[in-house]
Amino acid sequence: MKMAPLACMIICLNFASAALAAAPASPYVGQELRAIKSLSPEDVDAYLSGKGVGLAKAAELNGYAGPRHVLELASELELTLEQRAQTEALYAAMLSKATALGRALVEKERELDRLFATRSIDAALLARSLGDIGSLQAGVRGAHLEAHLAQVEILTAEQNARYARLRGYGGAAEHAGHGAPPEN
């Protein structure tokens, strides 16, 4: 028995609409309930507490030790009292700067979210908000990268190489970033 072409088409359309109805939801589902839609609670916490959350990977993975991790590895690195004091001061300054900038960044993100939520945003406000947010993001990242840049000068070349090994970077200890920066 042969099906009429129209009946076949109807069956195909039913299958297609069922497949579309079962399409996966947006990966953003649930995020519309956040206080600040563009930042997870973990992001907010990291910015407010000055955490790096990967912002200094360019330095860390190219042989520039970070002060927080240097302090965690102080015994293994055999830091001198002077190196420890310099690293503690560097970490405190970085944390202070990153935390202040992080607070300002969270507030600007909250403001941008509010502007969209209240439908009171326009192109000029958007441009200004994005400029402010971008500048603050760069500032937070810069605070962390600057600390890595200063930290590499506090450690000896051997300590920088040991740091890379202790952090599990394998052959990274041989990278030119360890020890004194390469000469030009």
Side-chain angles (χ1 to χ4, degrees), residues 30-72:
Q31 294 179 12
E32 73 277 9
L33 303 174
R34 292 178 178 174
I36 302 171
K37 310 300 184 269
S38 61
L39 296 176
S40 71
E42 296 80 17
D43 293 335
V44 171
D45 177 59
Y47 283 124
L48 295 179
S49 63
K51 294 178 184 169
V53 294
L55 294 174
K57 280 184 186 177
E60 176 76 13
L61 299 177
N62 279 298
Y64 292 80
R68 183 177 67 114
H69 300 301
V70 166
L71 291 170
E72 291 168 352

Side-chain angles (χ1 to χ4, degrees), residues 111-126:
E111 182 182 315
L112 179 64
D113 189 78
R114 184 181 44 74
L115 288 169
F116 273 100
T118 60
R119 305 259 191 267
S120 55
I121 191 145
D122 60 26
L125 275 173
L126 178 61

Side-chain angles (χ1 to χ4, degrees), residues 49-101:
S49 63
K51 294 178 184 169
V53 294
L55 294 174
K57 280 184 186 177
E60 176 76 13
L61 299 177
N62 279 298
Y64 292 80
R68 183 177 67 114
H69 300 301
V70 166
L71 291 170
E72 291 168 352
L73 298 169
S75 296
E76 295 93 328
L77 293 172
E78 300 175 6
L79 295 184
T80 66
L81 291 176
E82 183 179 351
Q83 285 175 317
R84 185 177 189 94
Q86 289 175 328
T87 301
E88 287 171 348
L90 177 62
Y91 179 68
M94 180 278 306
L95 190 62
S96 176
K97 185 176 181 180
T99 301
L101 289 166

